[in-house]
Amino acid sequence: MASEAVSVDVGFLDGCFLHGDPDHGASTLVSFHFVRFILFTLMLTVVGPFVYRLVAAFFDLERDFKTVADHFDDVTSGLIYSYIVFTLGNYSHTFGWVTLVFYFVGIFGYCALVELPFMRVSIPGWRTWSAAAWAVNLGGVALVLLAAGFHIRWAYAAGILQWYLPLFVLATASLWLTICVKWLNNYCSDHCPQGLGIERRMRKLALVLSIWRSARKQDDDPVSGHDVPLQAVASAGESPMASTGSQSPPDQPLTRQQQQRTALSREEKRALIDEKLQNLHYLNVRPGRPLPLCQCQLHLHHWQIFYILAFFTRFDRFASSACAGVVLGIVTQGSAAYGYDAMLERKH
């Protein structure tokens, strides 16, 4: 029985946009709509940060000074982050006026909150928080958990709970992996002055193979080995005749005893390899200087926390779209005020 082709009315710019989906894309991991992506990206990387910087300048709010190059870096980073969250967060189906309105509520609501004197704190300094700061932050955690409960219920109704919760754990892996990387980096800084040593081992392997090939060539072709002995690697320009004291004419092969005298000893090979390994070709390290190792500390920024949450407000409901706007607004406040700071910072 011949299969009939089904005609689907999908435009060129629709991408992975699902028409007539009862879950409005919530049960699909990847979705994309070109026009909505452009609007979403303009909001997240251009309009939102620009409006925030104007308002922050008017009221002299807390922020970092940024050059033109800094703003350009923020825009390019924002393009990457916006594409990822738009594609995997189902914003091709849910992005609309609700998200837009609550986006600015999130920006300026969080901005007003952190301008309170007792809220001028950071997550790494939690030990010094005041009682009022603890109350506000714990209240925020409670609101997030309350919203999470509703979203888990909607995920169950959409039949994706078996994916929803594991993917949330996977999304938070960036925090746990960063903790592991911090420990490994600080351990190497204290105990491994040459770094992990992987690159040194690869270079050492290349040198060992080079010496071994030279030795094989000398053993297989005594005349050639007499012309270019292994000792020439250690003492460039030194005549093999001078090193052995042999007066054999160049057209006669060396005896086995003479070949052994021209070959490098094991200690000489090791010394030669160690000398070569002292000056690996690193552009940012001067010859003979130690590697620029450093200690790192974990600094979890609020924009990173709410960026993770923005992937899971994927339901076409008013409350979910409002939550999406709020978390994206908080992300923009952090990036526009301070930049997309890394989670690992160097200790000074």
Side-chain angles (χ1 to χ4, degrees):
M1 186 174 179
S3 61
E4 297 181 358
V6 178
S7 177
V8 180
D9 185 16
V10 179
F12 177 75
L13 299 179
D14 288 341
C16 302
F17 186 79
L18 300 179
H19 294 271
D21 180 19
D23 295 324
H24 302 279
S27 57
T28 305
L29 178 61
V30 176
S31 62
F32 188 82
H33 190 278
F34 182 76
V35 175
R36 292 187 182 181
F37 170 69
I38 295 298
L39 297 175
F40 180 86
T41 303
L42 287 174
M43 178 195 75
L44 200 64
T45 63
V46 179
V47 178
F50 181 72
V51 171
Y52 171 80
R53 294 295 294 196
L54 291 180
V55 174
F58 184 84
F59 291 102
D60 196 21
L61 304 179
E62 181 182 272
R63 64 201 183 278
D64 286 346
F65 171 78
K66 293 185 180 182
T67 64
V68 174
D70 293 330
H71 288 296
F72 179 76
D73 288 341
D74 288 345
V75 171
T76 54
S77 298
L79 290 174
I80 298 172
Y81 288 120
S82 64
Y83 175 77
I84 296 172
V85 74
F86 180 87
T87 305
L88 300 180
N90 195 35
Y91 287 95
S92 59
H93 294 87
T94 63
F95 179 65
W97 68 269
V98 177
T99 303
L100 180 63
V101 170
F102 280 88
Y103 171 74
F104 288 99
V105 172
I107 291 179
F108 297 111
Y110 190 85
C111 177
L113 186 66
V114 297
E115 285 296 319
L116 297 175
F118 60 87
M119 285 300 295
R120 295 180 179 271
V121 295
S122 61
I123 296 178
W126 60 271
R127 293 182 179 85
T128 62
W129 287 359
S130 64
W134 273 106
V136 171
N137 282 282
L138 290 178
V141 172
L143 288 176
V144 170
L145 293 177
L146 178 63
F150 282 100
H151 281 79
I152 291 173
R153 179 184 176 184
W154 296 329
Y156 177 78
I160 61 170
L161 188 61
Q162 70 276 17
W163 292 104
Y164 193 76
L165 294 179
L167 286 175
F168 178 77
V169 175
L170 180 63
T172 60
S174 58
L175 172 61
W176 315 119
L177 288 176
T178 303
I179 294 175
C180 296
V181 171
K182 168 184 170 292
W183 177 87
L184 179 61
N185 176 85
N186 293 347
Y187 177 85
C188 292
S189 179
D190 293 334
H191 301 90
C192 307
Q194 297 172 346
L196 290 177
I198 297 177
E199 296 181 357
R200 288 175 56 85
R201 290 187 178 92
M202 292 301 298
R203 182 55 184 160
K204 183 177 182 179
L205 176 62
L207 293 172
V208 170
L209 291 176
S210 177
I211 292 177
W212 176 77
R213 289 181 60 186
S214 299
R216 286 292 300 270
K217 183 177 181 181
Q218 181 173 329
D219 291 340
D220 295 340
D221 189 355
V223 176
S224 170
H226 152 249
D227 290 337
V228 186
L230 278 177
Q231 199 159 349
V233 181
S235 53
E238 181 180 348
S239 171
M241 302 294 292
S243 63
T244 60
S246 172
Q247 300 298 324
S248 301
D251 57 344
Q252 295 182 4
L254 296 176
T255 64
R256 188 68 179 175
Q257 185 177 8
Q258 290 173 327
Q259 292 178 34
Q260 292 176 353
R261 287 200 301 266
T262 60
L264 292 174
S265 66
R266 180 178 298 179
E267 290 74 15
E268 290 173 327
K269 293 177 183 178
R270 186 174 300 171
L272 173 62
I273 292 175
D274 291 341
E275 180 184 354
K276 297 291 185 182
L277 291 177
Q278 292 300 319
N279 296 312
L280 296 180
H281 191 198
Y282 293 121
L283 293 179
N284 60 337
V285 180
R286 294 181 180 180
R289 300 292 298 274
L291 298 179
L293 300 174
C294 66
Q295 294 276 325
C296 287
Q297 62 183 2
L298 180 67
H299 189 167
L300 184 62
H301 300 275
H302 64 276
W303 80 264
Q304 295 159 343
I305 298 173
F306 288 94
Y307 181 76
I308 293 175
L309 297 178
F311 285 90
F312 298 92
T313 56
R314 58 186 300 109
F315 303 99
D316 191 23
R317 297 173 179 265
F318 180 90
S320 185
S321 297
C323 289
V326 170
V327 297
L328 289 172
I330 297 176
V331 170
T332 299
Q333 191 278 334
S335 62
Y338 313 107
Y340 291 97
D341 293 329
M343 199 177 296
L344 281 180
E345 296 180 345
R346 292 191 175 189
K347 287 185 179 178
H348 299 291

